[in-house]
Amino acid sequence: MLYFASKFLGMPSTSEENYLKAIFKITFQKKAASTNEIAEILEAKASSVTDMVKKLSKKGLINYKKYYGVTLTEKGKSTAILIIRKHRLWETFLHDKLNFTWDEVHNMAEELEHVSSNELVNRLEILLGYPKHDPHGDPIPDKNGNLTPLNNLFISDLKLGEKAIITGIKDSSSEFLQYLEKTKLVLGAQVEIIDKISFDNSVSVMVEDSKTLNISHHISSNIYIKSI
């Protein structure tokens, strides 16, 4: 069951919520987050990260062991999931109801995710018809904090001749999303590997059986897919 932030002794600040969300994303597929990884995601100074880690530890939101890294407590994890739930629901609302493009919604959702009303978020989910994924294909946690992860498979993992459907995007920067929109490498598109270049690990893909693209390893390793 999700521990809602309103049950805590003292609501986390916006900055604290951003740290918890960053730590959750890092530790979603690994045991612990280093202070350097946190600093890189948040574009923060190492000294600032160290200070915040100490603060969050005192509040019982994280565990920190020197040379091991940072992990979330159950309370910290629940708070992070709630923030992510808000963020992805707002992204979906902005995209589906207000017609913002998928490269525009992230920054606006970064502000809206800190709205404290859980009832507002629950009603937003109802309005949207209980969506399972946001515009970038990321899974939306339900009100109990259940989160179904994407299959950790990328275009770069496919073999020559294999086909797949694009299901999500790892790099959600505006520039990357704009590139994908332009090349039609969008959610739901079918791709087929028609060549693999060992020199630089780039690949040639057929998009929707009609268009051939040569894409770099960076691009192919940032697009989630489901094999077909």
Side-chain angles (χ1 to χ4, degrees), residues 68 84 93 184 192:
Y68 177 74
I84 290 169
F93 174 78
K184 307 302 180 185
E192 178 183 358

Side-chain angles (χ1 to χ4, degrees), residues 178-186 207 211 213:
Q178 288 167 7
Y179 168 81
L180 297 181
E181 188 74 31
K182 183 178 180 180
T183 55
K184 307 302 180 185
L185 290 168
V186 295
V207 184
K211 179 181 180 180
L213 287 175

Side-chain angles (χ1 to χ4, degrees), residues 204-223:
S204 294
V205 297
M206 178 78 75
V207 184
E208 293 292 342
D209 296 323
S210 63
K211 179 181 180 180
T212 302
L213 287 175
N214 295 318
I215 59 177
S216 68
H217 181 69
H218 172 78
I219 294 170
S220 66
S221 61
N222 273 281
I223 304 176

Side-chain angles (χ1 to χ4, degrees), residues 63-226:
N63 296 308
Y64 174 66
K65 292 182 180 179
K66 196 172 183 180
Y67 306 120
Y68 177 74
V70 178
T71 59
L72 295 169
T73 63
E74 282 302 312
K75 189 165 66 171
K77 181 179 178 181
S78 297
T79 306
I81 291 175
L82 177 57
I83 300 162
I84 290 169
R85 168 174 162 79
K86 292 177 181 179
H87 182 97
R88 293 177 181 174
L89 282 171
W90 281 119
E91 281 193 335
T92 305
F93 174 78
L94 291 165
H95 180 270
D96 292 1
K97 300 299 183 181
L98 299 185
N99 299 318
F100 285 100
T101 59
W102 70 341
D103 59 289
E104 295 176 315
V105 297
H106 178 74
N107 289 338
M108 287 180 279
E110 284 283 296
E111 299 181 27
L112 292 166
E113 71 186 27
H114 301 292
V115 174
S116 62
S117 173
N118 297 317
E119 182 60 27
L120 172 61
V121 175
N122 292 339
R123 292 193 185 193
L124 183 63
E125 181 181 43
I126 295 171
L127 173 68
L128 294 169
Y130 299 96
K132 301 300 182 184
H133 299 87
D134 70 12
H136 309 121
D138 292 318
I140 299 173
D142 65 21
K143 65 180 182 180
N144 293 319
N146 299 311
L147 177 64
T148 303
L150 286 168
N151 291 327
N152 194 21
L153 191 66
F154 301 93
I155 288 179
S156 57
D157 296 315
L158 293 172
K159 297 178 181 178
L160 189 64
E162 288 188 326
K163 296 182 179 181
I165 298 294
I166 295 175
T167 59
I169 309 300
K170 184 178 180 181
D171 181 350
S172 59
S173 66
S174 295
E175 293 82 2
F176 189 61
L177 295 175
Q178 288 167 7
Y179 168 81
L180 297 181
E181 188 74 31
K182 183 178 180 180
T183 55
K184 307 302 180 185
L185 290 168
V186 295
L187 301 187
Q190 178 182 299
V191 294
E192 178 183 358
I193 304 298
I194 59 175
D195 196 12
K196 302 194 77 170
I197 296 86
S198 59
F199 173 71
D200 58 0
N201 292 319
S202 60
V203 296
S204 294
V205 297
M206 178 78 75
V207 184
E208 293 292 342
D209 296 323
S210 63
K211 179 181 180 180
T212 302
L213 287 175
N214 295 318
I215 59 177
S216 68
H217 181 69
H218 172 78
I219 294 170
S220 66
S221 61
N222 273 281
I223 304 176
Y224 291 107
I225 50 89
K226 177 177 68 175

